[in-house]
Amino acid sequence: MAKTKEKQPTIETGNISVHTENIFPIIKKSLYSDHEIFLRELVSNAVDATQKISYLSRTGQFGGELGDLKIVVSVSKDAKTITIRDRGLGMTGEEIKKYINQVAFSGAEEFVEKFKDVKDAKEIIGQFGLGFYSAFMVSSTVEINTLSYQEGAEGARWTCDGSTSFTLESTDRSDRGTEITLHVAEDSLEFLESARLKTILNKYCKFLPVEIEFEGEIINTTDPIWRKTPTNLEDKDYLEFFKKLYPFAPDPLFWIHLNVDYPFELTGILYFPKVQNELEALKKDRIQLYSRQVFITDSVENIVPEYLMLLQGVIDSPDIPLNVSRSYLQTDSNVRKISNYITKKVGDKLKELFRDDRNKFIEKWGDVDTFVKYGMLSDEKFAEQALEFCLVKNTEGKYFTLAEYRDAIKDLQTDKDGKLVILYASELESQNTYIASAKKKGYDVLHLNGVLDSHFIGKMEQDQSNETWKRVDSESIDKLVAKEEEQVDILSEEQSKAVKEVFDQLALERRMMVQAAPLGEDELPIVITRPEFMRRMREMSVTSGNPNANFPEMLNLVINTSHPLIVKVAERKTPDAKEKLARQLLDLGLLSQNLLTGPSLTEFIERSMSIIR
Ligand code: ADP
Ligand code: MG
């Protein structure tokens, strides 16, 4: 073909072979909230073209000067244009026809086809791969000026107004590379604000591998640390990077550098944040997903297991399909492999930290406790791994692994049926009396106060059929760890009947259940307990966010039938005298549990005064 030296008007017009006539308005409307991704798409294309020319040069397929390869993004408010210029491999007119007219537009067509079947637009909005066509989301006309690196190539200029027709002409462009000019549409003028463009570049392009200049400044880091070899990095590099990502967060506890290239490609760094409060820990959107250094999204649901979303940092993988619906992701085999890989890495890291320095691990336990339990509850494989490092703390502040703990308590805390009974308290202050009773018996008591602990305990009991966990106030001490030898009941049959009658009446007032058991003289005459099962159901319905499950608070009134003061109740002559003493004993029981308040407390004080007088 003869080279056209003087500028020729249109040498070709044509129709893009799309079947859907009006793709443009459909795409524009459906992607309203995501219009900003046009810049990510165009800059990534410029990066691709730049990497291709570098590759051709390295492999001797391009012998010319590479020159300065940086990509320049610029904006002109007056001309209402945004320009993305690269010095990549460029395109010939034929290539524009092939790659833009056919490929890019067929991608858009496919998009529209898919869009028709999707009920929830959100499912595909923001997906990757809309590519070059996304330029039309913000432009009335798009112009490509390009010169291919190929010897003897001629400059080409293509314009299209988003309809299915285009013009293509040759030019005398002498600079290798491509310049995309967007004539910004009237409804998208916001994108002419340089602050807005800068924000978008910062979000999507901050770690792209080729320098990108905007308003005289390079806006990106071309070699982010997650792409580097872990052995070349020091702690301070990881901490620095963390600060860059989350400038206001306290230093992370530790991190994991992900680095695999087979059977899938994955790099990244996951940080364990220092959790300031437990609910905050359950916040999502803290991991950023990249594909070859291009930011894709910070909502990684279905890619990373739910409980790992407590982590922060970056994962970068070209093997995660981004142009499919979110629910499909879970079944994608690469996604599953990646997710399993991350889980295993996290487990390995925790194991390593625990083995290397138990004391240091214990110091950090408070911050990873919820995370580990959440993981154990949601992932069986992780639960198996975690058995090695999941810790429990007793009321004296001593830490044990579960196996160590079971071993330490098994002698005293195995009940008459051979079941191991693990005792715990959730609040040291208010459950102090119960803890003291248990300790008097030589039992050990764990301190469990995390939001997930009732779920966690449930899981432990499920996995260990020969084990039961009981909060110290769930039963009277003799029943907590039921043993063969019983305390003696010192009441006669007649006395029992009399006592029960009085307390039944009092319990009715407070909607309590009455039980009787010889607890020994050391215990209070009346003990108040909260049945484990009901209490746990109630707690779990709260953490599962089920406000409708209305489990009432349930209390038991246990009459200590080996206590002399209970005999005295029976011995009182009149019903009034019996009731007065019974009330006093009940109130003492309630008082020891912080359950005596309001008028009942006033009445108790007055009654006590009169008794003393
Ligand atoms: P993809 O990037 O996924 O291939 P796009 O729609 O973004 O799809 O781009 C279509 C094609 O147009 C690219 O594959 C490439 O061949 C060509 N192209 C787009 N932008 C450029 C550019 N700046 N330089 C060279 N070729 C480009
Ligand atoms: Mg592209």
Side-chain angles (χ1 to χ4, degrees), residues 407-419:
D407 201 51
I409 62 166
K410 69 173 189 298
D411 289 343
L412 280 178
Q413 290 174 233
T414 302
D415 72 8
K416 60 181 172 24
D417 304 319
K419 255 199 175 185

Side-chain angles (χ1 to χ4, degrees), residues 180-237:
I180 310 278
T181 306
L182 310 179
H183 297 270
V184 175
E186 285 303 315
D187 62 3
S188 301
L189 297 178
E190 56 181 290
F191 294 107
L192 293 173
E193 298 299 331
S194 72
R196 178 74 199 274
L197 286 181
K198 203 163 176 175
T199 308
I200 302 172
L201 286 169
N202 205 37
K203 176 167 172 191
Y204 295 100
C205 306
K206 198 165 44 182
F207 298 111
L208 283 177
V210 177
E211 285 191 339
I212 295 151
E213 185 186 292
F214 180 64
E215 299 190 320
E217 260 178 64
I218 301 296
I219 59 100
N220 57 331
T221 307
T222 54
D223 56 344
I225 85 164
W226 76 80
R227 303 286 281 190
K228 295 182 183 168
T229 317
T231 45
N232 296 339
L233 294 166
E234 292 176 37
D235 287 0
K236 72 167 182 19
D237 300 315

Side-chain angles (χ1 to χ4, degrees), residues 40-42 44-46 48 128-132:
R40 169 183 82 186
E41 295 300 322
L42 298 177
S44 324
N45 282 350
D48 291 345
F128 202 48
L130 195 53
F132 174 78

Side-chain angles (χ1 to χ4, degrees), residues 45-46 48-49 52 86 89-91 99-100 104 130-133 178:
N45 282 350
D48 291 345
K52 281 178 193 157
D86 67 65
L89 85 177
M91 284 181 276
Y99 297 129
I100 300 294
L130 195 53
F132 174 78
Y133 197 93
T178 304

Side-chain angles (χ1 to χ4, degrees), residues 29 86 136 141 143 289 318 346 487 542 587:
K29 221 164 90 199
D86 67 65
F136 289 101
T141 300
E143 187 179 330
L289 176 65
V346 170
Q487 295 278 357
V542 172
D587 285 355

Side-chain angles (χ1 to χ4, degrees), residues 596-609:
L596 198 62
T597 53
S600 315
L601 181 59
T602 314
E603 201 189 311
F604 167 76
I605 292 171
E606 278 165 8
R607 191 188 322 114
S608 301
M609 294 302 288

